[in-house]
Amino acid sequence: MSETRPLAASGRRWPRDVIGLAAIALAGGAGYVLFPDSLAFLTRIISIALLVLSLDLLIGYCGIATLGQSALYGAGAYAAGIAAVNGLTDPVALIAVGALAGGVAGLLMGAVLLRAHGLPQLVLSIAFVQLFHEMANKAASITGGSDGLYGIAPGPLFGLFAFDLYGKTAFFAGLGLLLLVFAALSFVVRSPFGMTCRGIKEDPLRIRAMGIGVRPTLIKMFALSGAVAGMGGALGAIATQVVGLDSVSFELSANALVMLVLGGFGSLYGALIGTVIFLGVEHEVSAINPFHWMTLVGVMLIAVVLFAPRGLYGVMTDAVARWRGRP
Amino acid sequence: MSALFRIEHLSKQFGGLKVTRDVSLDLVPGDRVALIGPNGAGKTTLVNLVTGQLRPDSGQVFFGGEDVTRLSDVARVRKGLVRTFQVTRLFSEMTPDEHVTLTILQRKGRATRILERFGHDPAIEFEAADILSTLGLTEVAHRPVAEIAYGQQRLLEIAIALALRPRVLLLDEPAAGVPSSETPRIEAALARLSSDLAVLLIEHDMDLVFRFARKVVVLNGGEIVFTGAPDAAAADPRVREAYLGSYAHASRVA
Ligand SMILES: Nc1ncnc2c1ncn2[C@@H]1O[C@H](COP(=O)(O)OP(=O)(O)OP(=O)(O)O)[C@@H](O)[C@H]1O
Ligand SMILES: [Mg+2]
């Protein structure tokens, strides 16, 4: 993958990172200018992008099979929501609560999922998210159950910017959070820890023969992934001021996986691109006809899996490489 | 000298197949022992048992006087009980330098650090470059493993093992699959191994065995059938029989 190779010449890396972050900020700014009436939707894209990034950490960087990632997203959403309902209103603190809850849920999920490999692991992950879903449903007195959790009223961001009706504050808060998380993850995937994870993905036995424990490393990644997903969930809770059962669902987990496959796993950019394309197209098409949307998802998935196994980001980097390679 | 490494009555069976039968063996620092035997004799299995990838049905493994039979493979590596693989196990997209750097980081307890940049510690990079140059891998140090020759990949297997600073090194057919034009480089690497290191070499090429080993152990059907000097091994009827059983290698021994 193109991200591994430049490691040796990491001196050249940081300008590329800055360009990447600038591109994300620019894309966010463009979204703000072009779709000023859809800020709530753009914020949802950011919230889900954090979920897909967190999934990429597990699938793309560690090779862990999971269809239960939204359990971690939902843990963050509910924790932030419940904290807000109970009087914690500082948005930054709420995001931190989401990260913490997601991280703890991640540890738990890691402890369960790492007992198995491959298909059994996938089945466990589905059981895990269904269990979380049922728990959220049954504990209606604190979660609101199937009615959803209402009454989330975040205070102004940094004590200055109130959450307005148009979703402007939420959008910029989300964009800022995404940039921070993205910068941190770009660093993490190139740390010794990140290298070890890539190694585990390809050959855990080789990693062990190097004297590196596989399970503790993966557990750590589960916690990190959970924290990222949890922040996404908390952002969603703050922005929409409601948490529903759909935030801990098999469907959201599966959609996140589709987004990741579309964009290309094993690359942080792929996770972002997949999210934007999936949700953007869904937004447009399902407004016309929801049936068409499902058909389109199917066609897109088949096309990507058959013709672009490294996802849309892979297609883009290949195109750039070819263009550069031309005399 | 007391044994650095000792195997006592190790046995293992897969289903009904006895692959390791009551094997006992010991190594002292500086030992150069060749473990030979026909295909399927149980050589790789023995390495797997000793390094902890497999659990023995019975018997014990001692390392530095300590019983390590119940320790995990990871813990054994950290104590200095290191192996290489018969079929290369490397990360196709990583470079040799990255493999060795990661290994050195592990030795220093830093392989899973999050708040550190990989490949930015001058001391570690220096050591990695040194190990790679010892094995003649400097030129390909920054190329993805998928793009380098198989012989160089075999050398990288050894480089990783050396980066662990082993006290006992188990080399599982380091020259397997390497074109004969490149075996001298592997042999040279073996000749340069530190003299206080105990080495057990599994190898089919008898010429290489003769030049490398001072002692030969012959395994057949999971059992040690001969232990002694290399020249005595070639003449021993039990060794001939072992190899005639699988005539693929008969010509090489004869
Ligand atoms: N995990 C396993 N399960 C079942 N049988 C196994 C397993 N590993 C090895 N065997 C069998 O044990 C026997 C010994 O295998 P092993 O790989 O140890 O032989 P070897 O001496 O290393 O052979 P070679 O020279 O071909 O590498 C073989 O018959 C093999 O099929
Ligand atoms: Mg073998």
Side-chain angles (χ1 to χ4, degrees):
Chain A
M1 240 158 283
S2 57
E3 288 212 320
T4 324
R5 203 161 303 177
L7 270 167
S10 354
R12 288 196 338 264
R13 280 298 305 204
W14 81 263
R16 236 187 94 175
D17 282 347
V18 170
I19 292 169
L21 288 172
I24 296 170
L26 216 68
Y32 177 76
V33 173
L34 295 176
F35 310 104
D37 299 329
S38 307
L39 292 184
F41 171 65
L42 296 183
T43 310
R44 177 171 159 76
I45 292 185
I46 295 174
S47 163
I48 300 295
L50 291 169
L51 167 66
V52 179
L53 278 172
S54 79
L55 183 62
D56 197 13
L57 292 179
L58 293 180
I59 294 186
Y61 287 90
C62 299
I64 291 163
T66 170
L67 271 169
Q69 194 68 5
S70 82
L72 312 181
Y73 179 86
Y78 274 108
I82 292 166
V85 170
N86 288 288
L88 184 70
T89 55
D90 179 46
V92 176
L94 289 174
I95 296 284
V97 167
L100 194 70
V104 171
L107 283 177
L108 209 68
M109 187 155 148
V112 174
L113 259 57
L114 293 177
R115 306 238 147 251
H117 292 285
L119 190 59
Q121 192 173 56
L122 205 63
V123 173
L124 278 179
S125 73
I126 296 172
F128 195 85
V129 68
Q130 298 291 28
L131 211 66
F132 265 52
H133 185 90
E134 261 328 286
M135 270 160 44
N137 190 19
K138 287 279 148 54
S141 57
I142 42 172
T143 62
S146 55
D147 295 337
L149 179 65
Y150 286 90
I152 301 166
L157 181 65
F158 307 129
L160 291 174
F161 308 101
F163 282 83
D164 52 302
L165 222 56
Y166 307 101
K168 218 159 131 178
T169 305
F171 171 72
F172 283 110
L175 189 57
L177 177 65
L178 179 66
L179 287 168
L180 278 178
V181 169
F182 197 89
L185 292 185
S186 304
F187 187 88
V188 165
V189 298
R190 274 182 276 120
S191 66
F193 169 72
M195 281 306 258
T196 296
C197 288
R198 287 171 213 244
I200 291 173
K201 183 186 176 188
E202 188 165 351
D203 186 354
L205 190 61
R206 168 35 95 192
I207 285 289
R208 296 179 66 87
M210 284 173 164
I212 306 173
V214 167
R215 249 176 89 85
T217 309
L218 291 181
I219 290 275
K220 212 163 158 178
M221 190 54 122
F222 265 100
L224 182 70
S225 168
V228 172
M231 285 192 273
L235 174 66
I238 292 169
T240 60
Q241 310 196 347
V242 58
V243 181
L245 282 177
D246 57 337
S247 63
V248 245
S249 63
F250 171 71
E251 195 191 346
L252 179 58
S253 303
N255 280 345
L257 181 61
V258 172
M259 295 178 215
L260 184 57
V261 171
L262 281 181
F265 50 82
S267 137
L268 299 176
Y269 292 101
L272 292 192
I273 291 167
T275 312
V276 172
I277 301 273
F278 182 99
L279 291 177
V281 176
E282 177 189 47
H283 194 64
E284 292 305 312
V285 177
S286 64
I288 305 167
N289 182 335
F291 173 74
H292 285 168
W293 164 234
M294 288 319 291
T295 315
L296 195 63
V297 170
V299 171
M300 284 199 298
L301 257 188
I302 291 172
V304 163
V305 170
L306 291 185
F307 303 113
R310 282 167 55 234
L312 296 172
Y313 180 67
V315 172
M316 283 165 56
T317 48
D318 285 353
V320 169
R322 219 171 303 132
W323 178 70
R324 279 209 182 144
R326 262 195 336 215
Chain B
M1 215 180 307
S2 75
L4 168 62
F5 170 70
R6 198 166 76 244
I7 310 173
E8 281 184 5
H9 308 293
L10 221 49
S11 293
K12 176 78 183 175
Q13 61 180 60
F14 292 118
L17 184 68
K18 289 185 174 150
V19 180
T20 308
R21 299 169 191 242
D22 195 27
V23 171
S24 299
L25 183 77
D26 56 46
L27 296 177
V28 299
D31 255 349
R32 296 288 184 269
V33 176
L35 178 66
I36 64 171
N39 290 109
K43 304 180 294 294
T44 299
T45 303
L46 183 63
V47 172
N48 287 336
L49 290 171
V50 159
T51 53
Q53 272 90 38
L54 287 175
R55 301 257 155 228
D57 297 335
S58 60
Q60 278 149 314
V61 181
F62 294 91
F63 184 72
E66 180 195 355
D67 185 349
V68 297
T69 321
R70 312 252 149 254
L71 286 187
S72 73
D73 51 351
V74 172
R76 293 185 214 194
V77 170
R78 290 184 182 171
K79 286 182 181 295
L81 183 51
V82 173
R83 59 127 8 130
T84 64
F85 292 96
Q86 179 173 354
V87 178
T88 307
R89 301 188 85 114
L90 298 168
F91 307 121
S92 52
E93 288 162 7
M94 287 189 203
T95 66
D97 179 64
E98 285 165 353
H99 282 84
V100 175
T101 301
L102 186 60
T103 310
I104 299 170
L105 279 167
Q106 182 283 118
R107 214 186 63 222
K108 297 182 181 277
R110 286 161 49 186
T112 58
R113 287 218 183 150
I114 291 185
L115 301 177
E116 184 175 313
R117 287 177 78 183
F118 183 90
H120 276 256
D121 182 322
I124 290 180
E125 283 313 285
F126 186 81
E127 187 186 338
D130 188 48
I131 292 172
L132 289 169
S133 90
T134 309
L135 290 160
L137 292 172
T138 304
E139 262 172 46
V140 295
H142 298 289
R143 298 246 304 269
V145 158
E147 292 175 13
I148 71 177
Y150 193 71
Q152 291 168 323
Q153 295 183 13
R154 300 302 294 161
L155 287 165
L156 179 54
E157 279 270 342
I158 299 173
I160 293 169
L162 292 184
L164 289 165
R165 300 239 170 110
R167 291 164 70 203
V168 169
L169 182 57
L170 309 163
L171 298 163
D172 196 351
E173 301 196 26
V178 175
S180 53
S181 61
E182 285 185 52
T183 43
R185 297 181 68 171
I186 290 173
E187 196 174 343
L190 299 185
R192 272 197 304 268
L193 293 175
S194 153
S195 59
D196 51 2
L197 182 65
V199 184
L200 182 79
L201 171 75
I202 299 177
E203 184 50 66
H204 282 301
D205 181 341
M206 292 311 289
D207 296 333
L208 213 161
V209 166
F210 273 97
R211 285 193 295 268
F212 177 81
R214 278 157 246 164
K215 186 168 121 186
V216 173
V217 174
V218 184
L219 206 61
N220 189 23
E223 216 169 3
I224 294 183
V225 294
F226 173 89
T227 305
D231 353 329
D236 192 277
R238 285 162 303 180
V239 179
R240 284 176 169 269
E241 192 195 302
Y243 276 92
L244 287 170
S246 104
Y247 64 72
H249 295 284
S251 58
R252 286 207 230 160
V253 173

mmCIF file of all heavy atoms in Angstrom, chain B residues 14-15 17 19 37-46 48 54 86 172-173 202 204 219 249, ligand 1:
data_model
loop_
_atom_site.group_PDB
_atom_site.id
_atom_site.type_symbol
_atom_site.label_atom_id
_atom_site.label_comp_id
_atom_site.label_asym_id
_atom_site.label_seq_id
_atom_site.Cartn_x
_atom_site.Cartn_y
_atom_site.Cartn_z
ATOM 1 N N PHE B 14 0.499 -35.925 16.379
ATOM 2 C CA PHE B 14 -0.646 -35.295 15.713
ATOM 3 C C PHE B 14 -1.611 -36.410 15.372
ATOM 4 O O PHE B 14 -1.306 -37.250 14.535
ATOM 5 C CB PHE B 14 -0.221 -34.602 14.419
ATOM 6 C CG PHE B 14 0.654 -33.398 14.625
ATOM 7 C CD1 PHE B 14 1.937 -33.359 14.117
ATOM 8 C CD2 PHE B 14 0.167 -32.292 15.317
ATOM 9 C CE1 PHE B 14 2.726 -32.240 14.275
ATOM 10 C CE2 PHE B 14 0.958 -31.169 15.491
ATOM 11 C CZ PHE B 14 2.240 -31.140 14.982
ATOM 12 N N GLY B 15 -2.772 -36.401 15.991
ATOM 13 C CA GLY B 15 -3.691 -37.525 15.783
ATOM 14 C C GLY B 15 -2.970 -38.784 16.221
ATOM 15 O O GLY B 15 -2.503 -38.868 17.350
ATOM 16 N N LEU B 17 -0.247 -39.832 14.633
ATOM 17 C CA LEU B 17 1.099 -39.779 14.083
ATOM 18 C C LEU B 17 2.091 -39.236 15.100
ATOM 19 O O LEU B 17 1.995 -38.090 15.532
ATOM 20 C CB LEU B 17 1.084 -38.882 12.832
ATOM 21 C CG LEU B 17 2.373 -38.766 12.039
ATOM 22 C CD1 LEU B 17 2.727 -40.079 11.361
ATOM 23 C CD2 LEU B 17 2.247 -37.647 11.009
ATOM 24 N N VAL B 19 5.201 -37.605 15.850
ATOM 25 C CA VAL B 19 6.104 -36.774 15.045
ATOM 26 C C VAL B 19 7.393 -36.466 15.811
ATOM 27 O O VAL B 19 8.435 -36.213 15.218
ATOM 28 C CB VAL B 19 5.380 -35.488 14.619
ATOM 29 C CG1 VAL B 19 6.285 -34.607 13.793
ATOM 30 C CG2 VAL B 19 4.132 -35.828 13.822
ATOM 31 N N GLY B 37 17.914 -34.934 8.558
ATOM 32 C CA GLY B 37 16.941 -36.021 8.511
ATOM 33 C C GLY B 37 16.069 -35.837 7.285
ATOM 34 O O GLY B 37 15.955 -34.726 6.781
ATOM 35 N N PRO B 38 15.466 -36.927 6.799
ATOM 36 C CA PRO B 38 14.669 -36.834 5.569
ATOM 37 C C PRO B 38 13.429 -35.957 5.750
ATOM 38 O O PRO B 38 13.076 -35.592 6.866
ATOM 39 C CB PRO B 38 14.275 -38.288 5.304
ATOM 40 C CG PRO B 38 14.385 -38.980 6.624
ATOM 41 C CD PRO B 38 15.465 -38.278 7.369
ATOM 42 N N ASN B 39 12.765 -35.656 4.649
ATOM 43 C CA ASN B 39 11.521 -34.882 4.705
ATOM 44 C C ASN B 39 10.517 -35.562 5.616
ATOM 45 O O ASN B 39 10.338 -36.773 5.549
ATOM 46 C CB ASN B 39 10.901 -34.758 3.302
ATOM 47 C CG ASN B 39 11.741 -33.862 2.418
ATOM 48 O OD1 ASN B 39 12.395 -34.320 1.504
ATOM 49 N ND2 ASN B 39 11.739 -32.598 2.725
ATOM 50 N N GLY B 40 9.884 -34.789 6.455
ATOM 51 C CA GLY B 40 8.859 -35.346 7.331
ATOM 52 C C GLY B 40 9.419 -36.018 8.568
ATOM 53 O O GLY B 40 8.692 -36.654 9.319
ATOM 54 N N ALA B 41 10.733 -35.886 8.807
ATOM 55 C CA ALA B 41 11.346 -36.538 9.966
ATOM 56 C C ALA B 41 10.897 -35.882 11.276
ATOM 57 O O ALA B 41 11.034 -36.463 12.349
ATOM 58 C CB ALA B 41 12.863 -36.478 9.855
ATOM 59 N N GLY B 42 10.393 -34.648 11.194
ATOM 60 C CA GLY B 42 9.947 -33.964 12.406
ATOM 61 C C GLY B 42 10.890 -32.866 12.855
ATOM 62 O O GLY B 42 10.838 -32.420 14.008
ATOM 63 N N LYS B 43 11.719 -32.373 11.950
ATOM 64 C CA LYS B 43 12.710 -31.346 12.325
ATOM 65 C C LYS B 43 12.024 -30.021 12.662
ATOM 66 O O LYS B 43 12.277 -29.425 13.711
ATOM 67 C CB LYS B 43 13.716 -31.146 11.169
ATOM 68 C CG LYS B 43 14.423 -32.435 10.753
ATOM 69 C CD LYS B 43 15.406 -32.223 9.633
ATOM 70 C CE LYS B 43 14.777 -31.806 8.321
ATOM 71 N NZ LYS B 43 13.918 -32.825 7.676
ATOM 72 N N THR B 44 11.151 -29.579 11.742
ATOM 73 C CA THR B 44 10.455 -28.310 11.977
ATOM 74 C C THR B 44 9.560 -28.411 13.211
ATOM 75 O O THR B 44 9.474 -27.482 14.013
ATOM 76 C CB THR B 44 9.641 -27.919 10.729
ATOM 77 O OG1 THR B 44 10.540 -27.755 9.636
ATOM 78 C CG2 THR B 44 8.889 -26.615 10.952
ATOM 79 N N THR B 45 8.916 -29.558 13.354
ATOM 80 C CA THR B 45 8.071 -29.755 14.524
ATOM 81 C C THR B 45 8.885 -29.607 15.819
ATOM 82 O O THR B 45 8.427 -28.990 16.780
ATOM 83 C CB THR B 45 7.400 -31.140 14.475
ATOM 84 O OG1 THR B 45 6.657 -31.234 13.260
ATOM 85 C CG2 THR B 45 6.483 -31.357 15.664
ATOM 86 N N LEU B 46 10.083 -30.154 15.809
ATOM 87 C CA LEU B 46 10.932 -30.032 16.995
ATOM 88 C C LEU B 46 11.216 -28.555 17.309
ATOM 89 O O LEU B 46 11.147 -28.132 18.461
ATOM 90 C CB LEU B 46 12.237 -30.811 16.779
ATOM 91 C CG LEU B 46 13.185 -30.834 17.982
ATOM 92 C CD1 LEU B 46 12.530 -31.536 19.169
ATOM 93 C CD2 LEU B 46 14.504 -31.530 17.640
ATOM 94 N N ASN B 48 9.339 -26.045 16.461
ATOM 95 C CA ASN B 48 8.084 -25.470 16.952
ATOM 96 C C ASN B 48 7.839 -25.794 18.421
ATOM 97 O O ASN B 48 7.333 -24.966 19.176
ATOM 98 C CB ASN B 48 6.898 -25.987 16.123
ATOM 99 C CG ASN B 48 6.853 -25.371 14.735
ATOM 100 O OD1 ASN B 48 7.384 -24.277 14.520
ATOM 101 N ND2 ASN B 48 6.222 -26.047 13.806
ATOM 102 N N LEU B 54 4.305 -24.773 19.372
ATOM 103 C CA LEU B 54 3.511 -25.964 19.671
ATOM 104 C C LEU B 54 3.770 -26.378 21.118
ATOM 105 O O LEU B 54 4.853 -26.141 21.657
ATOM 106 C CB LEU B 54 3.917 -27.132 18.763
ATOM 107 C CG LEU B 54 3.496 -27.108 17.292
ATOM 108 C CD1 LEU B 54 4.120 -28.294 16.578
ATOM 109 C CD2 LEU B 54 1.984 -27.139 17.174
ATOM 110 N N GLN B 86 11.420 -21.968 7.973
ATOM 111 C CA GLN B 86 11.789 -22.713 6.771
ATOM 112 C C GLN B 86 11.202 -22.052 5.523
ATOM 113 O O GLN B 86 11.861 -21.950 4.504
ATOM 114 C CB GLN B 86 11.259 -24.145 6.903
ATOM 115 C CG GLN B 86 11.569 -25.013 5.704
ATOM 116 C CD GLN B 86 11.170 -26.455 5.957
ATOM 117 O OE1 GLN B 86 10.772 -26.826 7.063
ATOM 118 N NE2 GLN B 86 11.284 -27.282 4.938
ATOM 119 N N ASP B 172 15.987 -22.895 10.585
ATOM 120 C CA ASP B 172 15.272 -23.952 9.878
ATOM 121 C C ASP B 172 15.498 -23.816 8.377
ATOM 122 O O ASP B 172 14.842 -23.030 7.709
ATOM 123 C CB ASP B 172 13.779 -23.890 10.217
ATOM 124 C CG ASP B 172 13.053 -25.177 9.825
ATOM 125 O OD1 ASP B 172 13.668 -26.023 9.153
ATOM 126 O OD2 ASP B 172 11.870 -25.320 10.196
ATOM 127 N N GLU B 173 16.435 -24.575 7.859
ATOM 128 C CA GLU B 173 16.796 -24.585 6.442
ATOM 129 C C GLU B 173 16.949 -23.176 5.867
ATOM 130 O O GLU B 173 16.194 -22.770 4.992
ATOM 131 C CB GLU B 173 15.747 -25.372 5.648
ATOM 132 C CG GLU B 173 15.633 -26.807 6.160
ATOM 133 C CD GLU B 173 14.906 -27.725 5.177
ATOM 134 O OE1 GLU B 173 14.930 -27.428 3.979
ATOM 135 O OE2 GLU B 173 14.332 -28.720 5.632
ATOM 136 N N ILE B 202 19.190 -26.635 10.799
ATOM 137 C CA ILE B 202 18.534 -27.689 10.032
ATOM 138 C C ILE B 202 18.904 -27.461 8.585
ATOM 139 O O ILE B 202 18.767 -26.347 8.073
ATOM 140 C CB ILE B 202 16.998 -27.620 10.188
ATOM 141 C CG1 ILE B 202 16.622 -27.819 11.653
ATOM 142 C CG2 ILE B 202 16.319 -28.649 9.304
ATOM 143 C CD1 ILE B 202 15.136 -27.703 11.922
ATOM 144 N N HIS B 204 19.539 -29.527 4.538
ATOM 145 C CA HIS B 204 19.595 -30.731 3.701
ATOM 146 C C HIS B 204 20.900 -30.822 2.923
ATOM 147 O O HIS B 204 21.329 -31.902 2.551
ATOM 148 C CB HIS B 204 18.423 -30.753 2.716
ATOM 149 C CG HIS B 204 17.140 -31.180 3.343
ATOM 150 N ND1 HIS B 204 16.970 -32.408 3.956
ATOM 151 C CD2 HIS B 204 15.956 -30.548 3.473
ATOM 152 C CE1 HIS B 204 15.736 -32.517 4.426
ATOM 153 N NE2 HIS B 204 15.095 -31.394 4.150
ATOM 154 N N LEU B 219 17.669 -37.073 12.720
ATOM 155 C CA LEU B 219 16.302 -37.370 13.147
ATOM 156 C C LEU B 219 15.641 -38.209 12.065
ATOM 157 O O LEU B 219 15.761 -37.909 10.883
ATOM 158 C CB LEU B 219 15.562 -36.036 13.302
ATOM 159 C CG LEU B 219 14.380 -35.939 14.265
ATOM 160 C CD1 LEU B 219 14.822 -36.251 15.691
ATOM 161 C CD2 LEU B 219 13.766 -34.543 14.208
ATOM 162 N N HIS B 249 16.717 -37.696 -1.082
ATOM 163 C CA HIS B 249 17.963 -37.123 -0.613
ATOM 164 C C HIS B 249 19.089 -38.140 -0.543
ATOM 165 O O HIS B 249 20.183 -37.823 -0.126
ATOM 166 C CB HIS B 249 17.765 -36.495 0.765
ATOM 167 C CG HIS B 249 16.835 -35.348 0.701
ATOM 168 N ND1 HIS B 249 17.210 -34.130 0.204
ATOM 169 C CD2 HIS B 249 15.526 -35.244 1.026
ATOM 170 C CE1 HIS B 249 16.180 -33.313 0.234
ATOM 171 N NE2 HIS B 249 15.132 -33.965 0.721
HETATM 172 N N1 LIG C 1 0.294 -29.151 12.563
HETATM 173 C C1 LIG C 1 0.399 -30.393 12.097
HETATM 174 N N2 LIG C 1 -0.664 -31.220 12.099
HETATM 175 C C2 LIG C 1 -0.577 -32.479 11.650
HETATM 176 N N3 LIG C 1 0.542 -33.022 11.151
HETATM 177 C C3 LIG C 1 1.648 -32.264 11.114
HETATM 178 C C4 LIG C 1 1.631 -30.907 11.570
HETATM 179 N N4 LIG C 1 2.866 -30.371 11.414
HETATM 180 C C5 LIG C 1 3.606 -31.377 10.872
HETATM 181 N N5 LIG C 1 2.898 -32.486 10.706
HETATM 182 C C6 LIG C 1 3.418 -33.764 10.182
HETATM 183 O O1 LIG C 1 4.498 -34.116 10.981
HETATM 184 C C7 LIG C 1 5.525 -34.702 10.202
HETATM 185 C C8 LIG C 1 6.820 -33.965 10.435
HETATM 186 O O2 LIG C 1 6.723 -32.683 9.864
HETATM 187 P P1 LIG C 1 7.916 -31.644 9.951
HETATM 188 O O3 LIG C 1 7.465 -30.447 9.220
HETATM 189 O O4 LIG C 1 8.328 -31.482 11.342
HETATM 190 O O5 LIG C 1 9.042 -32.377 9.125
HETATM 191 P P2 LIG C 1 10.484 -31.846 8.683
HETATM 192 O O6 LIG C 1 11.478 -32.807 9.200
HETATM 193 O O7 LIG C 1 10.650 -30.439 9.041
HETATM 194 O O8 LIG C 1 10.371 -32.022 7.109
HETATM 195 P P3 LIG C 1 11.003 -31.119 5.929
HETATM 196 O O9 LIG C 1 12.398 -31.579 5.708
HETATM 197 O O10 LIG C 1 10.139 -31.454 4.753
HETATM 198 O O11 LIG C 1 10.876 -29.703 6.333
HETATM 199 C C9 LIG C 1 5.047 -34.681 8.768
HETATM 200 O O12 LIG C 1 4.524 -35.932 8.474
HETATM 201 C C10 LIG C 1 3.970 -33.640 8.768
HETATM 202 O O13 LIG C 1 3.007 -33.929 7.806
#
